[in-house]
Amino acid sequence: MTLAVWAGVMIIGGLGSVARYMVDRAVARRVARSFPFGTLAVNISGAVLLGFVSGLTLSHHAALLAGTAFVGAYTTFSTWMLETQRLTEERQIWPAVTNLVVSVVLGVAAAMLGQWIASLL
């Protein structure tokens, strides 16, 4: 990989992280609940984006920058798992199970939606 690709990954990954923070906070402010709606919104919208990117015919470097750098930094598996574990610690078992099931089911559907949208282009 070239220095330009490395720099692109850093810059675009940084933008993805900032976007994640902004979306998570915006959703969390509107829905003041113990359920992690902000992380759910980020991960579902990220699944749509990644499905869309994977449905496009991109060069290896463009796919790396869009998919891995931006969407990879935007979505968050670790926060999803930590928040689910926190719900179980607080004995909120049904919300924890709901977070797991809804995230997986909607995530797969969202990725398929993104690929379908890309196929229309």
Side-chain angles (χ1 to χ4, degrees):
M1 278 200 294
T2 66
L3 183 58
V5 172
W6 279 100
V9 168
M10 288 187 292
I11 292 166
I12 294 169
L15 293 172
S17 296
V18 170
R20 175 180 73 213
Y21 178 78
M22 291 173 60
V23 170
D24 182 36
R25 292 296 95 207
V27 171
R29 274 194 306 271
R30 286 176 178 75
V31 184
R33 312 258 182 198
S34 63
F35 190 85
F37 286 105
T39 300
L40 180 63
V42 163
N43 286 341
I44 299 307
S45 61
V48 172
L49 285 171
L50 192 56
F52 180 76
V53 167
S54 72
L56 298 175
T57 305
L58 299 176
S59 71
H60 173 71
H61 291 301
L64 173 73
L65 293 173
T68 303
F70 185 82
V71 180
Y74 176 68
T75 58
T76 173
F77 179 82
S78 57
T79 302
W80 173 48
M81 287 295 102
L82 180 64
E83 290 171 341
T84 303
Q85 189 271 336
R86 178 191 49 82
L87 288 169
T88 61
E89 279 183 351
E90 295 171 356
R91 301 194 191 286
Q92 296 184 50
I93 303 305
W94 285 116
V97 171
T98 299
N99 193 32
L100 290 170
V101 172
V102 167
S103 293
V104 171
V105 171
L106 289 182
V108 170
M112 291 171 62
L113 174 64
Q115 285 183 322
W116 177 74
I117 292 169
S119 75
L120 297 175
L121 300 179

